[in-house]
Amino acid sequence: MRRILGHVTTGVLVLAIALGGCAQPAPQAPPLSPAAPQPPPPLPAPVKKLQGEIVYGMTSDPVIFNPILATDTPSGFVNSRVYQGLVRYNEKLEFIPYLATEWSFSADGLEWTFKLRNDVFWHDGVKFTAKDVKYTYDAIKHPDYTGIRRTDFRPVERVEIVNDYEIKLILSQPSAPLLSKLGIGIIPEHIYSQYEIGRMREHPANHAPVGTGPYMWGEWQKGQHLVLKANPNYWGEGPWIEKVRVRFLQDEMVMLAALENGDIDYMGSVPIDDLHRVKQQHAHRLFFWEFPSNGYTYIGLKQTHPILKDRRVRQALTYGTNRKELVDEIFKGYGTVINANLPPISWAYCEVGLDPYHYDKARAVSLLEQAGWRRVGPDGIRQNDKGERLSFGLVTAIGNTRMEQALIIIQQYWKEIGVEVKVEFYEWSVLLNQYLDVARFEAYMLSWSLGLDPDPFLFFHSSAGVDAQGNLVGFNDVEYYNPRVDELLELGRTTLDPAERKRIYDEVQRILNDDLPYVFMYTQNLVTAMDRKFEGLVLSPLGPIFPELWYIADPR
């Protein structure tokens, strides 16, 4: 997750056997008459060879090229091409082998055994082995680790090396979400072990990464561009595109202009206002596809804040926001209002029992008055009996046009019920380093990009908040605490039956819908554009995957 596996051959084999058992002679086509035109000869298969580059557009620079420390989407983009995990997902959203070749579980679910590839090399030529996997997972579990992944690996009691290409995870309790967490990139032991775990953020490899993936480090000019180069010793098929280039652009509209001018080849989300025109004008050159976002946009509300800690205030802010109008106005219907923490694409999405929080200005005002904000000052902002104003700050990232539009409208909605919100925009790295990753804010607006498992432990469990030393140890930066939610999230992680997990997460969603640690806003459908010169795309319900298989076809 960011702030924007089993074997797959069995089914194929069964299908092949079934087809072979019922094969029938192919019907013969009638002969062509002498006057009939001959069909054109079949096109030759495209020739794949290493060539060219693909250019992406982004509005924010990455922060850190270390998969166990990174939390932002730009860094994740680079890390996913440079590093590899034990598993990844395919076009059916099934987990499949990556650095692992196969795995098995003991009957009680407490011992997981992974066999590893024996033909993988780090980009500096050192052989990949089980000690790299053990080092990565042990680093995450280390008391001095400063990232936010520790709770993901809490069920792992220890990591044992069987041999250079086999490893065992010994669990303290069964863990349903753990397999999805093993997609996190493995980092090289021979490089990072030079520093103490507590000083890992200082390692120079965080800005010149060495991985095992299909692409390797090239160069980075902050605010300008970043380049990755094809790994010539990659163990798998590909890569077929010689360079991956990212151009950093001021905002989405500048990025759209770059797409239309041919200066970038790929745009992850075409602005909805321009979508119809861009499709009409560029259909000959660009390929478009729509897919639902596995995530959602939200406004995080600090639960320890003197104003926002009152649930009635949080509920008033939600009733006082016409989220349906926002979706219709900004996304032209390419979105859905949500009322809890899972989007409709999730198999654990709760469909019943949630308050829809339809826009109700009168109810919002009533809740604020119940919370003690009864007077309205001459500036239209509510006050309590002490004369304190109902005002707080909200931080967010610069560069997201639709979020900026939404916040302008939200400020007006809230002013109409007597609430002042002061919005401040920051560069992405500043927002993370000075506000979100240190949990120092009053409110903020962003989007979550979620993983495939519905487990929201890192977002809402009390242990994923701020520890006794003041460090954020998960994604619970709003410092939400509910004992029943803690209990359910722990149960959801140890329950292996999907139906029972669904019931658990339904209850979690109903509680969050009532407590509102966030103003849950919406999930949107993304329309991605890509130059038609690229072929070999593998599309999943969440967008294109396996970028090492993409290629630029030679003219036929």
Side-chain angles (χ1 to χ4, degrees), residues 93-167:
L93 304 184
E94 302 164 328
F95 287 105
I96 60 172
Y98 207 15
L99 287 178
T101 60
E102 59 181 285
W103 55 86
S104 60
F105 313 107
S106 62
D108 60 6
L110 299 180
E111 185 175 295
W112 296 21
T113 303
F114 289 83
K115 293 186 178 180
L116 309 175
R117 300 193 66 91
N118 62 5
D119 57 352
V120 178
F121 291 85
W122 294 99
H123 294 158
D124 61 2
V126 175
K127 195 79 180 288
F128 161 80
T129 68
K131 68 180 180 181
D132 298 304
V133 181
K134 177 175 172 59
Y135 175 80
T136 302
Y137 297 164
D138 284 350
I140 294 173
K141 293 180 61 61
H142 195 281
D144 296 336
Y145 167 67
T146 60
I148 51 79
R149 310 290 179 181
R150 182 181 294 120
T151 53
D152 283 346
F153 284 80
R154 192 169 70 169
V156 180
E157 196 170 86
R158 65 184 185 276
V159 183
E160 296 181 353
I161 293 178
V162 179
N163 57 53
D164 281 351
Y165 302 106
E166 187 170 338
I167 199 162

Side-chain angles (χ1 to χ4, degrees), residues 298-318:
Y298 65 102
I299 297 175
L301 305 173
K302 181 66 81 170
Q303 304 296 285
T304 57
H305 188 271
I307 294 174
L308 300 174
K309 67 181 181 181
D310 191 321
R311 181 173 61 179
R312 293 168 297 186
V313 172
R314 302 195 299 270
Q315 290 177 333
L317 294 176
T318 307

Side-chain angles (χ1 to χ4, degrees), residues 56-59 247-279 281-282 285-286 288 399 401-402 527-530:
Y56 292 82
M58 290 188 185
T59 57
R247 292 190 59 200
F248 299 108
L249 304 165
Q250 181 179 349
D251 54 37
E252 287 182 328
M253 297 315 297
V254 175
M255 189 187 304
L256 179 61
L259 177 74
E260 294 191 77
N261 292 334
D263 296 329
I264 64 173
D265 301 311
Y266 185 106
M267 186 171 183
S269 180
V270 178
I272 300 303
D273 289 341
D274 299 275
L275 183 57
H276 180 70
R277 176 187 61 78
V278 173
K279 279 187 172 182
Q281 294 180 3
H282 300 281
R285 184 175 63 85
L286 298 175
F288 300 87
T401 305
R402 289 191 293 275
V527 179
T528 294
M530 186 173 185

Side-chain angles (χ1 to χ4, degrees), residues 66-84:
N66 181 324
I68 74 171
L69 295 178
T71 61
D72 62 292
T73 299
S75 298
F77 171 88
V78 174
N79 291 335
S80 68
R81 285 155 174 78
V82 172
Y83 295 98
Q84 297 174 292

Side-chain angles (χ1 to χ4, degrees), residues 174-177 490-498 500-501 504:
S175 176
E490 292 164 11
L491 187 60
R493 284 192 153 190
T494 58
T495 300
L496 301 182
D497 175 43
E500 182 58 29
R501 289 189 82 205
I504 291 168

Side-chain angles (χ1 to χ4, degrees), residues 505-549:
Y505 292 136
D506 277 355
E507 185 177 348
V508 169
Q509 289 169 83
R510 285 191 286 268
I511 295 173
L512 294 176
N513 172 257
D514 188 49
D515 282 352
L516 293 178
Y518 297 166
V519 176
F520 295 102
M521 297 296 294
Y522 45 74
T523 182
Q524 65 183 93
N525 287 3
L526 305 178
V527 179
T528 294
M530 186 173 185
D531 197 295
R532 290 183 179 273
K533 68 183 176 184
F534 298 101
E535 299 189 17
L537 272 66
V538 180
L539 297 180
S540 80
L542 301 178
I545 56 176
F546 303 169
E548 74 276 11
L549 300 181

